[in-house]
């Protein structure tokens, strides 16, 4: 009888722990990401040429990312500041009417973000997030056998929405969507400088380990 009471007490404690599960503490995540890059308008020597005159193609790439966050919970509403690194490895090619070709590459992104979320149920939570990402990029121009290259980085605002589901008290699965826009410097073979605007859309699916 005593053993039965002890066992029942342990089971009751575990059940109570699951029932009162909430988003708080340390989380380390690993994600599969799909990055879509789209060329927008650009400016050359101070002149705005409108939407994508270089005919750069929209491209996408599947890669991986890692992240960390710490969540503070206030009766079901939580705030989770954190950091992330995405190996985007996405590129797009373009061509100008005079025969010049260009390649734009976004190699990786890293930054800081804050999630603002709500524990809908014991297992399900939804959230929005806002952050800043440093985009490492490269740009190569080729024309009449000559070429020029630029590599640099640009910081841009990121924003998006997401949801997570707790499989156990220490393991979550998550899905989120994120958008960011930034300008990439361009150095033409002729020495003329310009900027190309890009939009990156990221679909991220992953797991997070709580400790």
């Amino acid at each position: 009888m005593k053993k039965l009471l002890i066992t029942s007490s342990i089971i009751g404690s575990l059940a109570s722990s699951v029932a009162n599960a909430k988003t708080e503490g340390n989380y380390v995540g690993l994600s599969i990401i799909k990055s879509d890059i789209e060329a927008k308008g650009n400016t050359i020597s101070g002149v705005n040429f409108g939407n994508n005159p270089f005919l750069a193609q929209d491209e996408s790439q599947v890669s991986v990312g890692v992240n960390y966050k710490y969540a503070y919970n206030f009766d079901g509403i939580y705030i989770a500041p954190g950091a992330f690194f995405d190996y985007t490895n996405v590129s797009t090619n373009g061509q100008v009417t005079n025969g010049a070709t260009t390649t734009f590459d976004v190699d990786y992104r890293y930054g800081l973000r804050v999630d603002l979320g709500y524990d809908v149920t014991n297992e399900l939570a939804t959230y929005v997030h806002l952050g800043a990402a440093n985009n490492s990029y490269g740009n190569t121009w080729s024309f009449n056998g000559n070429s020029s290259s630029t590599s640099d980085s640009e910081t841009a605002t990121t924003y998006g929405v997401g949801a997570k589901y707790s499989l156990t008290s220490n393991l979550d699965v998550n899905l989120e969507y994120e958008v960011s826009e930034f300008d990439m410097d361009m150095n033409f073979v002729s020495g003329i400088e310009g900027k190309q605007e890009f939009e990156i859309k990221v679909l991220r699916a992953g797991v997070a380990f709580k400790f």
Side-chain angles (χ1 to χ4, degrees):
M1 183 66 179
K2 185 176 181 180
K3 290 183 179 180
L4 179 61
L5 290 174
I6 294 175
T7 302
S8 299
S9 177
I10 293 174
I11 294 175
S13 297
L14 292 174
S16 176
S17 176
V18 173
N20 295 320
K22 57 184 179 180
T23 305
E24 66 176 354
N26 293 282
Y27 292 84
V28 173
L30 176 64
S31 302
I32 300 296
I33 60 176
K34 180 177 180 290
S35 302
D36 295 307
I37 185 170
E38 179 181 353
K40 300 289 189 177
N42 59 44
T43 302
I44 301 174
S45 296
V47 179
N48 192 325
F49 283 83
N51 186 46
N52 194 12
F54 299 125
L55 307 179
Q57 302 297 310
D58 298 346
E59 297 289 349
S60 63
Q61 178 68 39
V62 176
S63 54
V64 296
V66 294
N67 61 81
Y68 167 80
K69 67 181 68 174
Y70 187 91
Y72 302 88
N73 199 292
F74 305 93
D75 293 327
I77 297 175
Y78 67 87
I79 298 175
F84 66 91
F85 176 91
D86 292 339
Y87 177 64
T88 47
N89 192 33
V90 63
S91 64
T92 180
N93 299 314
Q95 183 172 353
V96 191
T97 53
N98 66 0
T101 59
T102 181
T103 301
F104 302 101
D105 302 289
V106 181
D107 301 318
Y108 58 86
R109 308 164 69 230
Y110 64 89
L112 302 174
R113 55 180 268 184
V114 176
D115 297 355
L116 176 61
Y118 176 67
D119 291 326
V120 180
T121 68
N122 293 331
E123 296 82 19
L124 177 65
T126 60
Y127 56 91
V128 297
H129 64 84
L130 179 67
N134 184 277
N135 301 274
S136 176
Y137 66 81
N139 170 225
T140 301
W141 280 89
S142 299
F143 181 62
N144 286 341
N146 298 313
S147 64
S148 65
S149 299
T150 301
S151 61
D152 205 343
S153 63
E154 180 76 15
T155 300
T157 301
T158 67
Y159 55 93
V161 297
K164 72 180 190 69
Y165 188 87
S166 298
L167 298 178
T168 71
S169 59
N170 297 314
L171 179 64
D172 294 349
V173 291
N174 53 71
L175 180 67
E176 61 181 47
Y177 181 74
E178 176 185 293
V179 178
S180 181
E181 295 183 358
F182 74 98
D183 293 333
M184 184 183 293
D185 289 332
M186 300 184 294
N187 289 325
F188 299 92
V189 176
S190 59
I192 300 175
E193 296 182 351
K195 286 184 179 293
Q196 173 71 53
E197 180 185 348
F198 284 96
E199 180 179 68
I200 296 182
K201 300 175 182 178
V202 177
L203 181 64
R204 183 181 286 109
V207 296
F209 304 92
K210 180 180 179 180
F211 63 94

